Amino acid sequence: MSKPLIETKHLKKYFDTPRGLLHAVDDVNLTIPKGRTLGVVGESGCGKSTFGRVVLRLLEATSGEVLYDGENILTYSREQMFKMRQKMQIIFQDPYASLNPRMTVSEIIAEPIRVCKTITGNDAIMEKVDELMQIVGLADRFVNTYPHELDGGRRQRIGIARALALNPEFIVCDEPVSALDVSIQAQVLNLLMDLQEERGLTYMFVTHNLSVVKHISDEIAVMYLGQCVERCSSDELFENPLHPYTRALLSAIPEPSLEARNKKQEVIRGEVTSPVNPKPGCRFAARCPYAKPECMEKDLEFKEVSPGHFVACVLHG
């Protein structure tokens, strides 16, 4: 396996609330090798988007480390982070809310280039904008249009072009296709995969859509209430899910076949545990049909139960 480009060590992000500390990201340890894609999945509110933003330092971590090529960027100064942001970019979930409605397509794509001054001279900048528009499949006729004049797929292509403008090495894709039609989803996913192959990009792909994450990811990490409960290769996760929460997520994927009518679904019952001042123990235990007394006693260790397959569950390892 290639050297990790991104590595998190005991990464935590807590938010102050009137009722106490909300554990949005709690002791997450993950690695992403260069040129690979890590899918981060889980239900809404599990902390996956917050995790991606903490890795980029769009949100400051409460504690822990984020290593980029072996260096802890959480210790970087403002000036150091300004340079580092040229290597780390994000594609946002909402392709309309993330674009300035008062700027044209060319102005949006050119903005990071002008801010970071990677290219000088208006003609050279516009030449780069034209090149980026061709790469992401935006026709020249859209160069002076505004975001509200375009559909969701083209807006998201603008966001991708903007993310590529500074030639980054690492991109957090924060549910980049969840707001798009299925046919447009496929186009954007194929574009992201082609760009990764051509440029050697490293992705963290955040999504709640397991069908999408299987298509694009090399490894998948499953999060529940701020913690990573399972991580392994994409193929292994779908063939041999170990954590009860992972199995329930996979059983919820609709299958368009007659045989699937008799397939038993693992329904998650019970109330979601509050992420505010959570008690020790497995946070899924209150909803888990296999919960044991030891699940409630202490936080479970994230163990490697087979080569490359990690899980935090008393049923395994």
Side-chain angles (χ1 to χ4, degrees), residues 74-87:
L74 299 188
T75 63
Y76 277 17
S77 65
R78 186 185 181 95
E79 292 74 22
Q80 287 174 305
M81 277 309 300
F82 182 79
K83 293 178 181 177
M84 178 55 68
R85 296 208 183 282
Q86 297 180 34
K87 299 180 181 180

Side-chain angles (χ1 to χ4, degrees), residues 18 65 77 85 121 152 162 165 175 196 198 231 259 281 292:
E65 297 178 58
S77 65
R85 296 208 183 282
R162 179 177 60 185
E175 304 205 33
Q196 183 176 44
E198 292 166 13
R231 175 171 67 86
E259 291 79 10
K292 300 179 179 181

